[in-house]
């Protein structure tokens, strides 16, 4: 598999190493049979995330993850995409769901990578019953099991 995963966490505290972030992205790509990809994962402040959400989703709110799948130039070209994660927002979600920040960040990395690959989910309560969400949770559980 030819993949390149760029990770930026300048100015944002993240309890995961760049290597761990890359490992998570590569695990998702491998599970989906993706042979070639170039993805970036950027950790941003909640204010920067609000700006991204307002600019690209036309919503004046902040979110924990936003992803942009840039597609492929051809069948053999790599999948291209960018994932943005707000650790401050993730910290609140982790607390609300009774999980560690590391687990929540892993979930968001998986979630964003799946979006780059074209997966979608409905908004609202149906979100957690969607095929994408079930796939995400299986991957997060597998990643957690491999860390122990």
């Amino acid at each position: 598999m030819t993949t390149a995963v760029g990770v930026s966490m300048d100015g944002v505290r993240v309890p995961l190493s760049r290597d761990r972030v890359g490992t998570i992205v590569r695990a998702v790509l491998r599970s989906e049979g993706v042979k070639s990809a170039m993805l970036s994962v950027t950790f941003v402040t909640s204010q920067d995330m609000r700006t991204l959400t307002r600019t690209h989703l036309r919503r004046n709110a902040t979110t924990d993850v936003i992803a942009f799948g840039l597609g492929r130039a051809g069948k053999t070209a790599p999948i291209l995409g960018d994932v943005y994660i707000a650790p401050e927002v993730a910290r609140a979600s982790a607390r609300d769901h009774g999980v560690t920040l590391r687990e929540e960040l892993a979930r968001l990395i998986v979630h964003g990578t799946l979006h780059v690959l074209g997966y979608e989910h409905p908004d609202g309560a149906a979100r957690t019953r969607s095929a994408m969400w079930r796939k995400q949770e299986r991957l997060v559980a597998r990643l957690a099991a491999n860390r122990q």
Side-chain angles (χ1 to χ4, degrees), residues 22-107:
T23 296
I24 294 167
V25 170
R26 285 183 188 87
V28 175
L29 296 173
R30 214 174 16 260
S31 78
E32 293 301 300
V34 175
K35 304 256 187 269
S36 183
M38 295 175 66
L39 271 73
S40 71
V41 178
T42 303
F43 294 92
V44 298
T45 66
S46 57
Q47 185 56 47
D48 289 339
M49 183 61 84
R50 180 180 293 277
T51 300
L52 284 167
T53 305
R54 186 175 32 242
T55 302
H56 298 285
L57 301 180
R58 306 286 189 249
R59 292 192 304 231
N60 188 24
T62 194
T63 188
D64 46 12
V65 62
I66 189 169
F68 302 99
L70 306 174
R72 281 187 146 145
K75 239 183 178 172
T76 59
I79 290 174
L80 305 173
D82 298 317
V83 178
Y84 296 88
I85 298 171
E88 295 168 50
V89 180
R91 183 174 280 106
S93 294
R95 196 171 34 252
D96 290 347
H97 296 106
V99 300
T100 67
L101 178 56
R102 282 189 173 110
E103 179 181 330
E104 188 64 13
L105 290 171
R107 178 172 286 105

